[in-house]
Amino acid sequence: MIKIDKVQIDYTQDIKSISSPYNTFNETLNGGFKKGTATMIAGISGSSISTFIANLMAHFVQDDYIKILSFCANDSPFKRKIRLAASIARTNISNYGSVQMQKALQEVENFDIEFDDSFVNCTNIIQTASNYSDYNGYVVVIIEDIFSLARMNEKNDFDLAQSVVDLVNALKRHNFVVICTNRLTAEIEKQERIFNVAGHKPIRNDVYQGNILFTAFNNVYSFHQPRLLNIEYYSREKRDTENLIHISKLKSSDSKRGEIWLTSVFKSGHYEEIDNNTINI
């Protein structure tokens, strides 16, 4: 992997957190992502969490004191770069011609981001990330789809969850910002929940291997697109689910709870906040 020169100015004394592009999401984080904390976002297959991650990264790269390390075992660096480029340009990937794509990829190469280009497992993530423990700024370690990580000595997902806990705790000790994505269990897809408005919203028990993983994460969110389950009107609020994204905070280290409602704008390939977001303290 190519190392990028470290920032020489120490910004960290004045900057207490780094924000997302979503105001309500920032409020649920009590201002933003803080050093030495870990956030998990869990959704069902096909819920486009990867686009949400690309939106976060597109926001982070606007600040020159943020270094991003991107890991994903089941998606190539090229695909992640394309998603990021589209998010920065606020366009859908399908709108890209070859010339536009090449130009966008060149732009991404100028950002302070390192995409994994090798065998991805818990060991090489910490080895790569530890090279930046003296970085004078914010190091954001993004691990997408944690249960797609390659196994070393882990025999099953239970063992892998334990390894992820150890990995996340090690990254937090380096004072990094850690953001991981995970899946929800099949429980959320059961017909009795789909046809019962009281069961629409994900809960803590819906997070895959959550009983183990919750110990390492300061913040845990569900990321849900109810239309994927053919739900037309969602929860007791009976929200129209067309292009609807529901994010709910399931665990908080500072007792701050909240729900974030986004809409997916296909033309821009971006998520935008909609009204009626709720914060509970």
Side-chain angles (χ1 to χ4, degrees):
M1 296 184 184
I2 299 173
K3 281 191 180 180
I4 299 175
D5 291 338
K6 299 176 182 178
V7 178
Q8 299 301 315
I9 301 172
D10 187 357
Y11 294 87
T12 59
Q13 294 181 355
D14 297 327
I15 300 172
K16 304 303 180 186
S17 63
I18 55 175
S19 66
S20 79
Y22 307 107
N23 292 330
T24 312
F25 193 76
N26 295 332
E27 288 183 51
T28 66
L29 288 168
N30 204 22
F33 298 97
K34 298 175 178 60
K35 287 186 175 183
T37 65
T39 299
M40 177 168 59
I41 306 168
I44 65 173
S45 178
S47 58
S48 298
I49 296 181
S50 57
T51 300
F52 183 75
I53 294 297
N55 287 179
L56 291 180
M57 291 173 68
H59 189 74
F60 293 156
V61 297
Q62 298 174 33
D63 295 310
D64 60 5
Y65 52 83
I66 298 176
K67 168 78 179 182
I68 301 173
L69 305 178
S70 170
F71 300 93
C72 184
N74 65 357
D75 220 348
S76 69
F78 176 78
K79 288 183 179 179
R80 279 172 279 151
K81 289 177 182 179
I82 287 292
R83 279 198 298 269
L84 175 58
S87 187
I88 291 169
R90 297 186 74 86
T91 187
N92 192 285
I93 294 174
S94 61
N95 296 332
Y96 264 20
S98 58
V99 176
Q100 289 175 302
M101 185 178 295
Q102 190 61 38
K103 183 178 178 181
L105 285 171
Q106 288 174 352
E107 183 181 1
V108 168
E109 296 295 339
N110 293 326
F111 294 126
D112 202 358
I113 307 174
E114 186 169 325
F115 293 88
D116 68 85
D117 56 3
S118 61
F119 187 68
V120 183
N121 59 56
C122 292
T123 300
N124 67 24
I125 289 175
I126 190 60
Q127 288 174 344
T128 299
S130 61
N131 292 327
Y132 299 95
S133 29
D134 295 327
Y135 186 84
N136 291 326
Y138 274 77
V139 177
V140 180
V141 181
I142 297 175
I143 308 170
E144 296 187 58
D145 194 2
I146 53 178
F147 283 98
S148 69
L149 292 174
R151 296 177 183 177
M152 301 297 287
N153 300 316
E154 300 90 358
K155 297 178 181 178
N156 50 45
D157 283 355
F158 178 86
D159 291 345
L160 185 55
Q162 296 281 8
S163 294
V164 169
V165 166
D166 293 340
L167 167 64
V168 170
N169 283 330
L171 293 171
K172 287 164 63 177
R173 286 193 294 271
H174 281 284
N175 225 19
F176 298 151
V177 172
V178 185
I179 302 172
C180 299
T181 67
N182 188 14
R183 67 188 71 157
L184 294 174
T185 69
E187 191 72 25
I188 192 74
E189 302 178 40
K190 288 187 174 179
Q191 292 297 305
E192 54 263 37
R193 288 187 62 171
I194 291 174
F195 291 110
N196 179 5
V197 293
H200 282 179
K201 293 182 178 180
I203 58 176
R204 287 172 63 108
N205 289 342
D206 292 324
V207 177
Y208 187 65
Q209 296 291 344
N211 57 327
I212 300 171
L213 295 170
F214 272 51
T215 61
F217 287 88
N218 304 80
N219 308 291
V220 178
Y221 293 87
S222 61
F223 185 97
H224 198 31
Q225 283 200 53
R227 184 57 70 96
L228 292 176
L229 302 180
N230 296 316
I231 297 172
E232 293 188 10
Y233 296 98
Y234 184 59
S235 73
R236 291 188 174 94
E237 294 102 321
K238 295 186 177 179
R239 289 176 179 258
D240 187 333
T241 60
E242 185 174 3
N243 300 322
L244 183 72
I245 309 286
H246 173 231
I247 302 175
S248 181
K249 194 165 192 183
L250 304 178
K251 179 192 174 184
S252 173
S253 58
D254 55 14
S255 301
K256 202 138 188 178
R257 291 285 196 271
E259 295 184 283
I260 303 98
W261 302 90
L262 306 178
T263 184
S264 176
V265 183
F266 180 79
K267 185 177 180 180
S268 68
H270 214 267
Y271 299 140
E272 296 180 359
E273 279 187 281
I274 56 180
D275 294 336
N276 300 322
N277 286 328
T278 54
I279 300 293
N280 303 311
I281 300 175

PDB file of all heavy atoms in Angstrom, residues 119-125 127 148-156 159-160 163:
ATOM      1  N   PHE A 119      -5.577  -9.174   1.011  1.00  0.00           N
ATOM      2  CA  PHE A 119      -6.376 -10.074   1.846  1.00  0.00           C
ATOM      3  C   PHE A 119      -6.825  -9.347   3.111  1.00  0.00           C
ATOM      4  O   PHE A 119      -6.010  -8.818   3.861  1.00  0.00           O
ATOM      5  CB  PHE A 119      -5.489 -11.268   2.200  1.00  0.00           C
ATOM      6  CG  PHE A 119      -6.181 -12.381   2.914  1.00  0.00           C
ATOM      7  CD1 PHE A 119      -7.135 -13.147   2.278  1.00  0.00           C
ATOM      8  CD2 PHE A 119      -5.844 -12.680   4.224  1.00  0.00           C
ATOM      9  CE1 PHE A 119      -7.743 -14.206   2.931  1.00  0.00           C
ATOM     10  CE2 PHE A 119      -6.443 -13.732   4.884  1.00  0.00           C
ATOM     11  CZ  PHE A 119      -7.394 -14.499   4.235  1.00  0.00           C
ATOM     12  N   VAL A 120      -8.150  -9.260   3.353  1.00  0.00           N
ATOM     13  CA  VAL A 120      -8.667  -8.447   4.451  1.00  0.00           C
ATOM     14  C   VAL A 120      -9.120  -9.332   5.606  1.00  0.00           C
ATOM     15  O   VAL A 120     -10.058 -10.109   5.486  1.00  0.00           O
ATOM     16  CB  VAL A 120      -9.850  -7.561   3.987  1.00  0.00           C
ATOM     17  CG1 VAL A 120     -10.323  -6.678   5.132  1.00  0.00           C
ATOM     18  CG2 VAL A 120      -9.434  -6.706   2.804  1.00  0.00           C
ATOM     19  N   ASN A 121      -8.421  -9.216   6.720  1.00  0.00           N
ATOM     20  CA  ASN A 121      -8.827  -9.894   7.943  1.00  0.00           C
ATOM     21  C   ASN A 121      -8.508  -8.982   9.126  1.00  0.00           C
ATOM     22  O   ASN A 121      -7.925  -7.908   8.958  1.00  0.00           O
ATOM     23  CB  ASN A 121      -8.130 -11.256   8.083  1.00  0.00           C
ATOM     24  CG  ASN A 121      -6.621 -11.120   8.094  1.00  0.00           C
ATOM     25  OD1 ASN A 121      -6.055 -10.398   8.900  1.00  0.00           O
ATOM     26  ND2 ASN A 121      -5.951 -11.820   7.184  1.00  0.00           N
ATOM     27  N   CYS A 122      -8.898  -9.406  10.300  1.00  0.00           N
ATOM     28  CA  CYS A 122      -8.730  -8.551  11.478  1.00  0.00           C
ATOM     29  C   CYS A 122      -7.267  -8.198  11.728  1.00  0.00           C
ATOM     30  O   CYS A 122      -6.947  -7.076  12.116  1.00  0.00           O
ATOM     31  CB  CYS A 122      -9.319  -9.237  12.714  1.00  0.00           C
ATOM     32  SG  CYS A 122     -11.122  -9.388  12.665  1.00  0.00           S
ATOM     33  N   THR A 123      -6.380  -9.152  11.487  1.00  0.00           N
ATOM     34  CA  THR A 123      -4.957  -8.929  11.751  1.00  0.00           C
ATOM     35  C   THR A 123      -4.373  -7.867  10.844  1.00  0.00           C
ATOM     36  O   THR A 123      -3.692  -6.940  11.305  1.00  0.00           O
ATOM     37  CB  THR A 123      -4.166 -10.244  11.591  1.00  0.00           C
ATOM     38  OG1 THR A 123      -4.675 -11.208  12.511  1.00  0.00           O
ATOM     39  CG2 THR A 123      -2.688 -10.009  11.870  1.00  0.00           C
ATOM     40  N   ASN A 124      -4.621  -7.960   9.519  1.00  0.00           N
ATOM     41  CA  ASN A 124      -3.979  -6.969   8.650  1.00  0.00           C
ATOM     42  C   ASN A 124      -4.650  -5.607   8.729  1.00  0.00           C
ATOM     43  O   ASN A 124      -4.043  -4.593   8.394  1.00  0.00           O
ATOM     44  CB  ASN A 124      -3.843  -7.465   7.201  1.00  0.00           C
ATOM     45  CG  ASN A 124      -5.142  -7.647   6.474  1.00  0.00           C
ATOM     46  OD1 ASN A 124      -6.154  -7.039   6.804  1.00  0.00           O
ATOM     47  ND2 ASN A 124      -5.136  -8.498   5.454  1.00  0.00           N
ATOM     48  N   ILE A 125      -5.899  -5.541   9.218  1.00  0.00           N
ATOM     49  CA  ILE A 125      -6.516  -4.230   9.431  1.00  0.00           C
ATOM     50  C   ILE A 125      -5.778  -3.484  10.536  1.00  0.00           C
ATOM     51  O   ILE A 125      -5.404  -2.313  10.376  1.00  0.00           O
ATOM     52  CB  ILE A 125      -8.008  -4.365   9.780  1.00  0.00           C
ATOM     53  CG1 ILE A 125      -8.799  -4.815   8.554  1.00  0.00           C
ATOM     54  CG2 ILE A 125      -8.569  -3.033  10.295  1.00  0.00           C
ATOM     55  CD1 ILE A 125     -10.263  -5.092   8.823  1.00  0.00           C
ATOM     56  N   GLN A 127      -2.765  -4.048  11.616  1.00  0.00           N
ATOM     57  CA  GLN A 127      -1.386  -3.794  11.191  1.00  0.00           C
ATOM     58  C   GLN A 127      -1.298  -2.563  10.300  1.00  0.00           C
ATOM     59  O   GLN A 127      -0.403  -1.726  10.458  1.00  0.00           O
ATOM     60  CB  GLN A 127      -0.821  -5.019  10.465  1.00  0.00           C
ATOM     61  CG  GLN A 127      -0.524  -6.197  11.383  1.00  0.00           C
ATOM     62  CD  GLN A 127      -0.093  -7.437  10.629  1.00  0.00           C
ATOM     63  OE1 GLN A 127      -0.283  -7.550   9.402  1.00  0.00           O
ATOM     64  NE2 GLN A 127       0.488  -8.394  11.339  1.00  0.00           N
ATOM     65  N   SER A 148     -17.934 -10.391   6.402  1.00  0.00           N
ATOM     66  CA  SER A 148     -17.305 -10.872   5.173  1.00  0.00           C
ATOM     67  C   SER A 148     -15.788 -10.913   5.322  1.00  0.00           C
ATOM     68  O   SER A 148     -15.080 -11.347   4.404  1.00  0.00           O
ATOM     69  CB  SER A 148     -17.683  -9.977   3.987  1.00  0.00           C
ATOM     70  OG  SER A 148     -17.075  -8.703   4.116  1.00  0.00           O
ATOM     71  N   LEU A 149     -15.264 -10.465   6.475  1.00  0.00           N
ATOM     72  CA  LEU A 149     -13.820 -10.501   6.690  1.00  0.00           C
ATOM     73  C   LEU A 149     -13.317 -11.940   6.610  1.00  0.00           C
ATOM     74  O   LEU A 149     -13.982 -12.878   7.038  1.00  0.00           O
ATOM     75  CB  LEU A 149     -13.472  -9.921   8.065  1.00  0.00           C
ATOM     76  CG  LEU A 149     -13.701  -8.417   8.268  1.00  0.00           C
ATOM     77  CD1 LEU A 149     -13.439  -8.033   9.714  1.00  0.00           C
ATOM     78  CD2 LEU A 149     -12.809  -7.610   7.328  1.00  0.00           C
ATOM     79  N   ALA A 150     -12.126 -12.079   6.063  1.00  0.00           N
ATOM     80  CA  ALA A 150     -11.533 -13.409   5.959  1.00  0.00           C
ATOM     81  C   ALA A 150     -11.246 -13.965   7.349  1.00  0.00           C
ATOM     82  O   ALA A 150     -10.887 -13.234   8.272  1.00  0.00           O
ATOM     83  CB  ALA A 150     -10.241 -13.339   5.144  1.00  0.00           C
ATOM     84  N   ARG A 151     -11.432 -15.253   7.487  1.00  0.00           N
ATOM     85  CA  ARG A 151     -11.188 -15.897   8.782  1.00  0.00           C
ATOM     86  C   ARG A 151      -9.776 -16.472   8.828  1.00  0.00           C
ATOM     87  O   ARG A 151      -9.277 -17.005   7.846  1.00  0.00           O
ATOM     88  CB  ARG A 151     -12.218 -17.012   9.021  1.00  0.00           C
ATOM     89  CG  ARG A 151     -13.631 -16.478   9.132  1.00  0.00           C
ATOM     90  CD  ARG A 151     -14.636 -17.603   9.282  1.00  0.00           C
ATOM     91  NE  ARG A 151     -15.999 -17.071   9.306  1.00  0.00           N
ATOM     92  CZ  ARG A 151     -17.088 -17.828   9.374  1.00  0.00           C
ATOM     93  NH1 ARG A 151     -16.973 -19.148   9.421  1.00  0.00           N
ATOM     94  NH2 ARG A 151     -18.286 -17.274   9.395  1.00  0.00           N
ATOM     95  N   MET A 152      -9.184 -16.347   9.990  1.00  0.00           N
ATOM     96  CA  MET A 152      -7.878 -16.935  10.217  1.00  0.00           C
ATOM     97  C   MET A 152      -8.059 -18.177  11.098  1.00  0.00           C
ATOM     98  O   MET A 152      -8.140 -19.280  10.615  1.00  0.00           O
ATOM     99  CB  MET A 152      -6.939 -15.913  10.856  1.00  0.00           C
ATOM    100  CG  MET A 152      -6.751 -14.661  10.002  1.00  0.00           C
ATOM    101  SD  MET A 152      -5.957 -15.021   8.407  1.00  0.00           S
ATOM    102  CE  MET A 152      -4.291 -15.345   8.946  1.00  0.00           C
ATOM    103  N   ASN A 153      -8.176 -17.941  12.405  1.00  0.00           N
ATOM    104  CA  ASN A 153      -8.405 -19.054  13.326  1.00  0.00           C
ATOM    105  C   ASN A 153      -9.874 -19.198  13.709  1.00  0.00           C
ATOM    106  O   ASN A 153     -10.234 -20.099  14.466  1.00  0.00           O
ATOM    107  CB  ASN A 153      -7.558 -18.870  14.593  1.00  0.00           C
ATOM    108  CG  ASN A 153      -6.073 -18.830  14.276  1.00  0.00           C
ATOM    109  OD1 ASN A 153      -5.593 -19.636  13.482  1.00  0.00           O
ATOM    110  ND2 ASN A 153      -5.356 -17.890  14.871  1.00  0.00           N
ATOM    111  N   GLU A 154     -10.714 -18.277  13.201  1.00  0.00           N
ATOM    112  CA  GLU A 154     -12.132 -18.296  13.569  1.00  0.00           C
ATOM    113  C   GLU A 154     -12.853 -19.428  12.831  1.00  0.00           C
ATOM    114  O   GLU A 154     -12.754 -19.552  11.611  1.00  0.00           O
ATOM    115  CB  GLU A 154     -12.787 -16.955  13.220  1.00  0.00           C
ATOM    116  CG  GLU A 154     -12.168 -15.752  13.923  1.00  0.00           C
ATOM    117  CD  GLU A 154     -11.035 -15.119  13.146  1.00  0.00           C
ATOM    118  OE1 GLU A 154     -10.697 -15.653  12.063  1.00  0.00           O
ATOM    119  OE2 GLU A 154     -10.487 -14.101  13.612  1.00  0.00           O
ATOM    120  N   LYS A 155     -13.577 -20.237  13.570  1.00  0.00           N
ATOM    121  CA  LYS A 155     -14.277 -21.378  12.987  1.00  0.00           C
ATOM    122  C   LYS A 155     -15.695 -21.039  12.536  1.00  0.00           C
ATOM    123  O   LYS A 155     -16.270 -21.730  11.707  1.00  0.00           O
ATOM    124  CB  LYS A 155     -14.325 -22.534  13.992  1.00  0.00           C
ATOM    125  CG  LYS A 155     -12.950 -23.074  14.362  1.00  0.00           C
ATOM    126  CD  LYS A 155     -13.064 -24.186  15.396  1.00  0.00           C
ATOM    127  CE  LYS A 155     -11.683 -24.711  15.782  1.00  0.00           C
ATOM    128  NZ  LYS A 155     -11.774 -25.771  16.823  1.00  0.00           N
ATOM    129  N   ASN A 156     -16.266 -19.986  13.120  1.00  0.00           N
ATOM    130  CA  ASN A 156     -17.653 -19.639  12.813  1.00  0.00           C
ATOM    131  C   ASN A 156     -17.866 -18.146  13.070  1.00  0.00           C
ATOM    132  O   ASN A 156     -16.932 -17.424  13.443  1.00  0.00           O
ATOM    133  CB  ASN A 156     -18.614 -20.480  13.662  1.00  0.00           C
ATOM    134  CG  ASN A 156     -18.237 -20.444  15.141  1.00  0.00           C
ATOM    135  OD1 ASN A 156     -17.938 -19.377  15.694  1.00  0.00           O
ATOM    136  ND2 ASN A 156     -18.232 -21.604  15.791  1.00  0.00           N
ATOM    137  N   ASP A 159     -17.011 -16.861  16.617  1.00  0.00           N
ATOM    138  CA  ASP A 159     -15.585 -16.591  16.805  1.00  0.00           C
ATOM    139  C   ASP A 159     -15.173 -15.306  16.095  1.00  0.00           C
ATOM    140  O   ASP A 159     -14.382 -14.522  16.626  1.00  0.00           O
ATOM    141  CB  ASP A 159     -14.748 -17.756  16.257  1.00  0.00           C
ATOM    142  CG  ASP A 159     -14.879 -19.020  17.083  1.00  0.00           C
ATOM    143  OD1 ASP A 159     -15.378 -18.942  18.225  1.00  0.00           O
ATOM    144  OD2 ASP A 159     -14.497 -20.096  16.580  1.00  0.00           O
ATOM    145  N   LEU A 160     -15.717 -15.093  14.884  1.00  0.00           N
ATOM    146  CA  LEU A 160     -15.368 -13.895  14.134  1.00  0.00           C
ATOM    147  C   LEU A 160     -15.856 -12.646  14.865  1.00  0.00           C
ATOM    148  O   LEU A 160     -15.168 -11.623  14.894  1.00  0.00           O
ATOM    149  CB  LEU A 160     -15.951 -13.955  12.722  1.00  0.00           C
ATOM    150  CG  LEU A 160     -15.566 -12.803  11.782  1.00  0.00           C
ATOM    151  CD1 LEU A 160     -14.055 -12.650  11.679  1.00  0.00           C
ATOM    152  CD2 LEU A 160     -16.170 -13.031  10.391  1.00  0.00           C
ATOM    153  N   SER A 163     -13.396 -11.798  17.443  1.00  0.00           N
ATOM    154  CA  SER A 163     -12.210 -11.180  16.844  1.00  0.00           C
ATOM    155  C   SER A 163     -12.470  -9.731  16.459  1.00  0.00           C
ATOM    156  O   SER A 163     -11.595  -8.866  16.589  1.00  0.00           O
ATOM    157  CB  SER A 163     -11.758 -11.977  15.607  1.00  0.00           C
ATOM    158  OG  SER A 163     -11.312 -13.260  15.975  1.00  0.00           O
TER     159      SER A 163
END
